[in-house]
Amino acid sequence: LEMLHSMSPLDREVICRFYLEDHPKEQICEDLKLTPNQFRNIKSQAKLMLTSMGRRRVHSMPATRTA
């Protein structure tokens, strides 16, 4: 959730409503006054940003040893 807070409010709302709250894309578009293309672009860019932040976070973690 920490990564979500670093996103723009619009990106965060689209991602949360679509993936976490299971709102249909049509409803999100209507509520936020987005065209289907705008919705798709926002969702795609936000997913890429989350993926990138997640990878950076994993690579910055110290290696752990297993016994």
Side-chain angles (χ1 to χ4, degrees), residues 1-2 6 8-10 16 20-21 23 30 32 35 38 41 46-48 51-52 55-57 62-64:
L1 289 177
E2 176 184 315
S6 65
S8 76
L10 180 59
C16 287
L20 302 178
E21 300 170 8
H23 291 204
E30 184 179 321
L32 300 178
T35 66
Q38 288 172 316
N41 289 337
K47 279 176 42 179
L48 285 173
T51 300
S52 175
R55 284 187 180 141
R56 276 187 264 136
R57 193 171 198 187
T64 58

Side-chain angles (χ1 to χ4, degrees), residues 2-67:
E2 176 184 315
M3 290 187 289
L4 289 174
H5 291 291
S6 65
M7 301 174 80
S8 76
L10 180 59
D11 290 356
R12 183 172 51 246
E13 184 161 2
V14 167
I15 291 291
C16 287
R17 289 181 63 179
F18 188 73
Y19 289 107
L20 302 178
E21 300 170 8
D22 291 324
H23 291 204
K25 67 180 179 182
E26 297 81 9
Q27 184 65 51
I28 298 168
C29 288
E30 184 179 321
D31 293 347
L32 300 178
K33 312 274 189 275
L34 300 172
T35 66
N37 283 340
Q38 288 172 316
F39 173 82
R40 187 175 58 253
N41 289 337
I42 290 167
K43 183 173 61 83
S44 295
Q45 290 176 355
K47 279 176 42 179
L48 285 173
M49 190 171 93
L50 283 173
T51 300
S52 175
M53 288 188 315
R55 284 187 180 141
R56 276 187 264 136
R57 193 171 198 187
V58 167
H59 291 298
S60 69
M61 294 173 64
T64 58
R65 292 186 170 195
T66 56

